């Protein structure tokens, strides 16, 4: 092998111009092809093998209910139920008109069905309370029905005040309403938009939390050629909300979450600060190269070789593998971080040989003969570490492994062809001083003389690390890799805090609705389950009693809600006259000791002083949507018996597939963000329904798939590297010399991650197999130099090359740690930590293990 490498380098030297021009021409052609065909498929569903059993269960559910895929969930929070309903209705209509972005727009918690029959889903007691409150509010409702305007509001309050004055009703019965109107009036006087809730005023029922939060489910047309496939739709939602005045200043908050939005947020995080981290890492990379080489010509040769290698790797990726995925797109960072080592090793050894023999041709020949073998072994070991990912079910990493592994071999070939050719053309000057670290000679001798204590300390460290291993955890929850600063993520956390709205639910299909009901009854008994929904859940219980209550209320309130005629819209003067008359009555009520009456009277004094100018704000706060609220009341009193067959088609489509199969959704009890809660919930449900799917199942099955993929990759990488070392070194003891420091570095990395609370997760687990490739490269350089009879390891040029290779590789990996994305940041931290311990073990443990050079 050494002879072949020497001949290739010599051929490149003799034909330097031709070799450089041919490779440059191929690089230009490859770059042109890559630029015209490069694309990134950001569909994260393609990152794991679709033929796995749990993936097929996902696909079966998605095929039965395709409307639940590619979703953006719009969450509307408002100060009042009225505002929430009106805002949701307006926004849903606007989004439905944008068919180029949205395939469907649905309101799962509202619509005519729930407006008409919603009361039937309450308890009988609450329905009776609702009816009683409506009957007691009949005078108020009648006045508003005849005059649904700001004038009608104050006429109704005037009528109530007269009832107090005449002793017909106690003042406390109207004080809540007076306080509510007073607060809204004062807000209008201050220019604030704080509309009151007529739904609450008319029914006397305190709003439930879910009445203040509404949802719109949108199915989005995604562009997977874009880095953020759903960003255009998300932007359209926020733009529509602003145009409709659905802002925090107006008492409404519109947020977007869902799988699409969360995926987009992750890609957005990757780009934030990328310019700074890239500039910093490139600057440091150039600095380390200059310090290692101390020659602009050598620097230029390595940089050109590296760039052409990156282009070649990219061409292979696009031409052979196809579109990049969110994981395989990281090949560039890994290529630069690892491939730069080959150029540094070759160039630093060239400097060393040039010092020893001040002749360019002879120095290049000696360089090829001395470093060619170790460099080839290091490159093949790195490639093996990457190729170990290829046979796994983690498709995203499998593609990365194929691309990066091929990149290592391309980099090796270029360092034996293009780099020598460029050195021949550029002709770096000779070396005046030794290239290694002469100051480390005493440390060399110290480590050899005291090798047993060093080995003993290393064994103690290894034992201590092993003792910590039971505390090592794998965090399978991808939520912990998301930035809570992103709207999609913070909104998801908000939904998960309520068991009724958490999207972390388990779903499965049953042959029919009856089967769904039967299984739901079993699941309802589990302590880990909060509730189970099927299509049958939308058929209210005890309907006869509730309908009777509502029908009685309708008979009493029917004439009140449907007056023969309504007054025309009032003028400003008529409104002010109604306010003045109402104010006079309120002063009399206040004189009886009613504080709310006094508060409202004071506010109306200010309104009368300001005159017609304040009426628009007052109208928006005190009389918002009265006609719509009256329509809601009329509809609620017309509730009809609900059966499974009478459910709206849009609602049935959410629970019953076209072939009759029924969907079941199971909600967890407890905080679904807690891994233990999620695990117990999933395990309990799967004992009854083994083929269940849904987010909790996907999370844990993904964790199992990824963990298995990396175990397989680790075994393949370790086995292939061991075989390679045995073939090259041909002595078992020397193979152990290479692997032992690497094992210690791995243990130290894991122990530090435990102590630093840096758990292994989906993102940073890739550091472990990569440690094999990088670590073997460093160790093999020292071992093969030692086998060649050189005991001065730390003072040698090899140590210089390893140190600056580690610094350049660490800079590339360290730039990942600066990412705004928690997952990528964790990956960068663990890669940098692993590289640090690898360097420490290579410099201080390996020389002690090797000991003095033996005469062979």
């Amino acid at each position: 092998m050494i002879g072949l490498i020497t001949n290739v380098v010599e051929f490149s030297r003799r034909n330097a111009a031709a070799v450089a021009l041919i490779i440059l021409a191929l690089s230009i052609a490859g770059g042109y092809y890559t630029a015209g065909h490069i694309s990134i498929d950001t569909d994260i569903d393609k990152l794991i093998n679709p033929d796995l059993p749990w993936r097929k269960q996902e696909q079966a559910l998605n095929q039965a209910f395709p409307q639940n895929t590619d979703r953006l969930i719009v969450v509307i929070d408002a100060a009042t139920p009225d505002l929430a309903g009106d805002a949701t209705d307006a926004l849903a209509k606007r989004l439905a008109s944008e068919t180029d972005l949205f395939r469907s727009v649905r309101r799962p918690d509202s619509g005519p069905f729930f407006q008409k029959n919603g009361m039937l889903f309450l308890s009988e007691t609450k329905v009776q309370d609702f009816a009683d409150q409506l009957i007691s509010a009949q005078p108020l409702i009648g006045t508003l029905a005849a005059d649904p305007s700001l004038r009608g509001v104050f006429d109704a309050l005037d009528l109530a005040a007269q009832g107090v004055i005449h002793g017909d009703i106690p003042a406390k019965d109207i004080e809540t309403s007076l306080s509510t109107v007073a607060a809204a009036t004062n807000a209008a006087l201050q220019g604030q938009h704080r509309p009151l809730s007529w739904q609450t005023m008319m029914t006397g029922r305190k709003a439930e939390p879910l009445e203040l939060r509404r949802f719109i489910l949108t199915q989005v047309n995604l562009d997977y050629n874009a880095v953020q496939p759903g960003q255009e739709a998300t932007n359209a939602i926020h733009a529509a909300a602003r145009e409709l005045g659905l802002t925090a200043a107006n008492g409404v908050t519109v947020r977007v979450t869902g799988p699409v939005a969360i995926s987009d947020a992750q890609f957005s995080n990757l780009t934030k600060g990328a310019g700074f981290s890239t500039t910093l890492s490139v600057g440091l990379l150039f600095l380390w190269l200059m310090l290692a080489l101390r020659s602009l010509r050598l620097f230029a040769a390595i940089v050109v070789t590296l760039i052409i290698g990156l282009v070649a790797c990219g061409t292979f990726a696009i031409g052979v593998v196809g579109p990049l995925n969110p994981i395989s797109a990281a090949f560039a960072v890994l290529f630069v971080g690892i491939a730069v080592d080959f150029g540094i090793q070759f160039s630093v050894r060239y400097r060393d040989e040039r010092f020893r023999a001040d002749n360019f041709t002879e120095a290049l020949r000696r360089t090829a003969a001395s470093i060619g073998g170790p460099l080839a072994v290091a490159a093949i070991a790195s490639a093996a570490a990457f190729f170990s990912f290829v046979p796994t079910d983690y498709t995203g990493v499998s593609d990365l492994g194929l691309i990066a592994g091929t990149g290592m071999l391309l980099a090796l070939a270029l360092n034996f062809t293009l780099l020598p050719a460029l050195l021949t053309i550029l002709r770096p000057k000779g070396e005046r001083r030794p290239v290694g670290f002469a100051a480390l000679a005493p440390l060399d001798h110290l480590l050899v003389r005291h090798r047993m204590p060093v080995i003993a300390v290393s064994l103690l460290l290894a034992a201590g690390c092993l003792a910590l291993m039971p505390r090592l955890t794998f965090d399978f929850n991808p939520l912990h890799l998301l930035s809570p600063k992103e709207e999609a993520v913070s909104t998801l956390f908000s939904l998960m805090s309520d068991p009724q709205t958490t999207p972390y639910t388990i779903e499965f299909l049953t042959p029919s609705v009856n089967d769904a009901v039967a299984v739901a009854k079993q699941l309802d008994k589990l302590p880990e389950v909060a509730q189970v929904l099927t299509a049958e859940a939308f058929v209210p219980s005890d309907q006869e009693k509730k309908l009777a209550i509502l029908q009685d209320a309708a008979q009493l309130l029917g004439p009140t809600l449907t007056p023969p005629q309504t007054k025309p819209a009032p003028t400003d003067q008529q409104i002010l006259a109604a306010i003045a008359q109402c104010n006079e009555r309120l002063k009399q009520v206040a004189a009886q000791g009613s504080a709310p009456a006094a508060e409202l009277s004071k506010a109306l004094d200010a309104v009368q002083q300001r005159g017609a100018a304040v009426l628009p704000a007052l109208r928006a706060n005190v009389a918002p949507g009265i006609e719509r609220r009256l329509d809601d009341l009329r509809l609620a009193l017309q509730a009809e018996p609900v059966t499974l067959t009478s459910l709206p088609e849009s609602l049935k489509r959410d629970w019953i597939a076209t072939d009759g199969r029924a969907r079941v959704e199971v909600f967890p009890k407890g905080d679904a963000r807690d891994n233990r809660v999620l695990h117990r919930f999933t395990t309990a449900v799967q004992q009854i329904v083994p083929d269940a799917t849904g987010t909790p199942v996907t999370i844990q099955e993904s964790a199992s798939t990824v963990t298995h993929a990396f175990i397989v990759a680790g075994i393949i990488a370790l086995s292939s590297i061991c075989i390679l070392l045995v073939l090259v070194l041909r002595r078992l003891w020397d193979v152990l010399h290479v692997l032992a420091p690497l094992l210690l570095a791995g243990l130290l990395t894991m122990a530090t991650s435990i102590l630093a609370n840096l758990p292994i997760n989906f993102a940073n687990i890739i550091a472990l197999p990569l440690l094999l490739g990088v670590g073997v490269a460093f160790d093999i350089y020292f071992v093969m130099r030692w086998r060649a009879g050189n005991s001065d390891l730390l003072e040698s040029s090899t140590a210089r090359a390893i140190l600056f290779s580690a610094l350049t590789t660490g800079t590339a990996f360290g730039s990942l740690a600066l990412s705004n994305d928690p997952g990528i940041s964790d990956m960068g931290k663990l890669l940098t930590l692993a590289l640090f311990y690898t360097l420490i073990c290579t410099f201080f443990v390996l020389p002690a293990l090797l000991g003095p050079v033996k005469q062979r």
Side-chain angles (χ1 to χ4, degrees):
M1 181 173 68
I2 300 299
L4 175 63
I5 293 171
T6 304
N7 289 336
V8 170
V9 171
E10 178 63 16
F11 174 84
S12 300
R13 183 193 66 80
R14 290 181 177 179
N15 304 279
V19 169
L21 286 174
I22 290 172
I23 293 177
L24 180 61
L26 290 174
S27 176
I28 293 173
Y32 179 79
Y33 171 83
T34 302
H37 294 81
I38 190 170
S39 62
I40 298 180
D41 186 348
T42 51
D43 186 357
I44 59 176
D45 285 339
K46 296 179 181 178
L47 295 182
I48 294 180
N49 187 350
D51 294 326
L52 293 172
W54 63 272
R55 290 300 312 276
K56 290 182 177 179
Q57 292 163 11
E58 280 184 339
Q59 294 161 18
L61 185 68
N62 290 339
Q63 288 169 2
F65 297 94
Q67 67 270 31
N68 292 336
T69 61
D70 302 335
R71 289 196 305 185
L72 282 176
I73 301 173
V74 187
V75 182
I76 300 99
D77 292 298
T80 67
D82 315 49
L83 201 53
D86 293 343
T88 305
D89 185 54
L91 185 57
K93 288 179 180 177
R94 172 66 67 86
L95 298 181
S97 67
E98 301 190 32
T99 54
D100 56 325
L101 293 175
F102 303 101
R103 279 180 277 167
S104 67
V105 177
R106 294 178 290 147
R107 297 177 58 188
D109 54 354
S110 55
F113 171 77
F114 288 105
Q115 288 175 325
K116 184 175 184 178
N117 301 301
M119 296 304 301
L120 298 179
F121 292 92
L122 300 178
S123 66
E124 183 183 349
T125 302
K126 287 188 176 181
V127 174
Q128 185 64 62
D129 291 343
F130 167 77
D132 292 344
Q133 180 62 32
L134 285 183
I135 292 170
S136 64
Q138 189 171 12
L140 170 67
I141 294 172
T143 304
L144 292 175
D147 187 3
S149 68
L150 189 59
R151 176 184 60 190
V153 171
F154 287 104
D155 283 347
L157 292 177
D158 178 41
L159 184 62
Q162 289 182 53
V164 174
I165 294 168
H166 297 147
D168 297 330
I169 56 175
K172 64 181 182 62
D173 285 1
I174 67 167
E175 286 185 341
T176 299
S177 298
L178 297 181
S179 294
T180 302
V181 176
T185 303
N186 284 321
L189 290 168
Q190 297 170 17
Q192 299 173 349
H193 184 70
R194 292 185 186 174
L196 58 79
S197 170
W198 278 104
Q199 176 177 314
T200 303
M201 290 270 287
M202 291 177 184
T203 64
R205 186 171 57 86
K206 184 179 179 180
E208 300 286 342
L210 283 181
E211 291 182 293
L212 302 177
R213 170 172 287 176
R214 302 296 176 87
F215 299 91
I216 301 174
L217 303 182
T218 68
Q219 193 172 28
V220 188
N221 294 316
L222 298 177
D223 178 12
Y224 285 118
N225 291 319
V227 176
Q228 296 170 266
Q231 189 60 47
E232 187 178 356
T234 300
N235 292 341
I237 291 170
H238 285 301
R242 286 192 300 271
E243 291 171 9
L244 293 170
L246 307 181
T247 63
N250 292 329
V252 181
T253 302
V254 176
R255 295 177 292 171
V256 181
T257 187
V260 173
I262 290 172
S263 176
D264 286 347
Q266 285 183 286
F267 288 119
S268 173
N269 263 330
L270 293 177
T271 60
K272 291 178 181 176
F276 170 76
S277 61
T278 301
T279 302
L280 179 63
S281 61
V282 170
L284 286 174
L285 185 72
F286 286 174
L287 173 63
W288 303 138
L289 284 175
M290 284 302 301
L291 290 176
L293 305 174
R294 298 182 183 274
S295 166
L296 281 174
R297 297 180 186 183
L298 285 171
F299 171 84
I302 286 184
V303 170
V304 171
T305 303
L306 195 62
I307 292 173
I308 289 179
L310 183 59
V311 171
C313 190
T315 302
F316 171 82
I318 301 304
V320 177
V321 179
L324 300 174
N325 62 55
I327 295 177
S328 65
F331 81 89
V333 174
L334 296 177
F335 178 87
V336 172
I338 298 176
V340 71
D341 168 62
F342 306 155
I344 291 175
Q345 293 290 341
F346 192 95
S347 300
V348 171
R349 182 59 64 90
Y350 162 78
R351 289 185 61 202
D352 188 32
E353 297 297 344
R354 186 67 185 271
F355 172 75
R356 299 174 188 277
D358 193 17
N359 178 279
F360 174 78
T361 302
E362 179 62 17
L364 197 60
R365 186 193 66 77
R366 289 185 180 185
T367 299
S370 59
I371 197 63
L375 203 59
V377 174
I380 295 171
S382 297
F386 282 117
F387 285 144
S388 66
F389 293 117
V390 173
T392 67
D393 288 319
Y394 197 1
T395 311
V397 174
S398 176
D399 287 353
L400 174 63
L402 180 59
I403 296 168
T406 303
M408 296 300 99
L409 300 181
L410 290 171
L412 179 67
L414 289 171
N415 277 278
F416 288 156
T417 54
L418 179 61
L419 184 56
L422 292 175
L423 293 179
T424 303
I425 294 170
L426 296 173
R427 291 284 175 167
K429 296 178 181 179
E431 297 292 332
R432 298 179 181 179
R433 294 184 299 274
V435 177
F437 299 126
L440 296 182
L443 183 57
D444 261 327
H445 303 311
L446 179 68
L447 290 173
V448 172
R449 282 199 311 270
H450 301 283
R451 57 191 301 253
M452 297 313 296
V454 173
I455 293 173
V457 170
S458 300
L459 289 173
L460 287 174
L461 283 173
C465 293
L466 284 171
L468 288 172
M469 288 304 106
R471 293 170 53 187
L472 182 66
T473 58
F474 178 75
D475 187 354
F476 60 80
N477 198 333
L479 278 181
H480 301 156
L481 301 179
L482 303 176
S483 172
K485 297 178 182 178
E486 294 292 332
E487 177 190 83
V489 179
S490 62
T491 305
L492 174 66
F493 288 167
S494 175
L495 296 180
M496 293 180 69
S497 64
D498 185 347
Q500 296 186 67
T501 60
T502 178
Y504 269 37
T505 59
I506 288 179
E507 301 173 272
F508 57 90
L509 294 172
T510 60
S512 67
V513 175
N514 290 336
D515 292 310
V517 172
V519 178
K521 289 179 180 178
Q522 289 181 270
L523 294 172
D524 258 331
K525 299 176 182 178
L526 296 176
E528 297 85 2
V529 172
Q531 63 172 335
V532 184
L533 292 183
T534 67
E536 192 71 32
F538 295 91
V539 179
S541 60
D542 299 325
Q543 292 188 54
E544 290 185 7
K545 296 178 181 178
K546 297 172 188 176
L547 286 169
I549 294 170
L550 294 175
Q551 287 167 0
D552 288 344
Q555 288 180 353
L556 289 172
L557 293 171
T560 303
L561 282 168
T562 55
Q565 62 181 9
T566 57
K567 294 181 179 180
T571 64
D572 289 349
Q573 293 305 316
Q574 289 172 328
I575 294 173
L576 290 171
I579 290 173
Q581 182 174 321
C582 176
N583 196 8
E584 289 180 13
R585 301 285 200 284
L586 288 174
K587 291 183 185 300
Q588 296 179 50
V589 175
Q592 297 179 10
S594 173
E599 180 186 9
L600 179 55
S601 176
K602 182 179 178 181
L604 294 182
D605 286 340
V607 170
Q608 289 178 270
Q609 290 176 2
R610 299 267 291 272
V614 78
L615 291 184
L618 189 64
R619 185 181 292 108
N621 276 9
V622 176
I626 292 177
E627 290 185 82
R628 287 194 295 273
R629 301 295 81 79
L630 291 169
D631 287 340
D632 291 343
L633 281 180
R634 296 183 186 107
L635 202 57
L637 294 176
Q638 296 172 19
E640 297 176 346
V642 177
T643 64
L644 194 62
T645 54
S646 70
L647 290 176
E649 286 301 317
S650 60
L651 183 57
K652 283 196 284 189
R653 278 198 302 270
D654 285 342
W655 297 95
I656 305 173
T658 54
D659 59 4
R661 288 180 297 169
R663 181 170 72 92
V664 180
E665 187 169 11
V666 190
F667 290 75
K669 183 178 291 183
D671 186 358
R673 288 177 290 181
D674 188 324
N675 288 349
R676 293 168 297 181
V677 170
L678 207 61
H679 178 72
R680 288 196 298 266
F681 170 61
T682 305
T683 302
V685 173
Q686 285 186 315
Q687 287 178 348
I688 297 175
V689 188
D691 60 348
T693 185
T695 303
V697 176
T698 298
I699 287 175
Q700 296 190 63
E701 291 292 353
S702 296
S704 176
T705 300
V706 171
T707 305
H708 181 263
F710 279 95
I711 290 174
V712 170
I715 293 173
I716 293 174
L718 183 59
S719 302
S720 57
I721 288 173
C722 286
I723 293 171
L724 173 66
L725 292 176
V726 169
L727 292 175
V728 173
L729 301 177
R730 300 187 180 182
R731 280 194 289 271
L732 180 61
W733 195 244
D734 288 349
V735 173
L736 293 177
H737 282 153
V738 173
L739 295 179
L742 195 56
L743 176 60
L744 179 59
L747 289 173
L748 287 170
T749 300
M750 294 296 95
T752 304
S753 71
I754 292 169
L755 296 175
N757 194 28
L758 182 64
I760 305 301
N761 55 45
F762 283 117
N764 62 24
I765 195 173
I766 195 174
L768 304 182
L770 288 184
L771 174 63
L772 283 173
V774 176
V776 165
F778 288 174
D779 291 352
I780 199 70
Y781 297 139
F782 267 179
V783 170
M784 295 189 76
R785 186 179 183 91
W786 178 79
R787 282 163 57 98
N790 299 301
S791 60
D792 56 339
L793 297 179
L794 297 184
E795 62 179 300
S796 68
S797 62
T798 301
R800 182 185 187 88
I802 290 175
L803 174 62
F804 283 101
S805 289
L807 288 172
T808 52
T809 303
T811 297
F813 291 165
S815 67
L816 299 175
L818 299 177
S819 173
N820 285 295
D821 182 80
I824 298 299
S825 178
D826 281 356
M827 181 197 299
K829 291 172 184 175
L830 198 63
L831 283 170
T832 304
L833 188 64
L835 184 64
F836 169 75
Y837 282 125
T838 300
L839 184 63
I840 293 297
C841 292
T842 300
F843 268 50
F844 299 105
V845 178
L846 183 56
L849 284 174
L850 293 172
V853 173
K854 299 177 181 179
Q855 299 299 323
R856 302 186 187 281

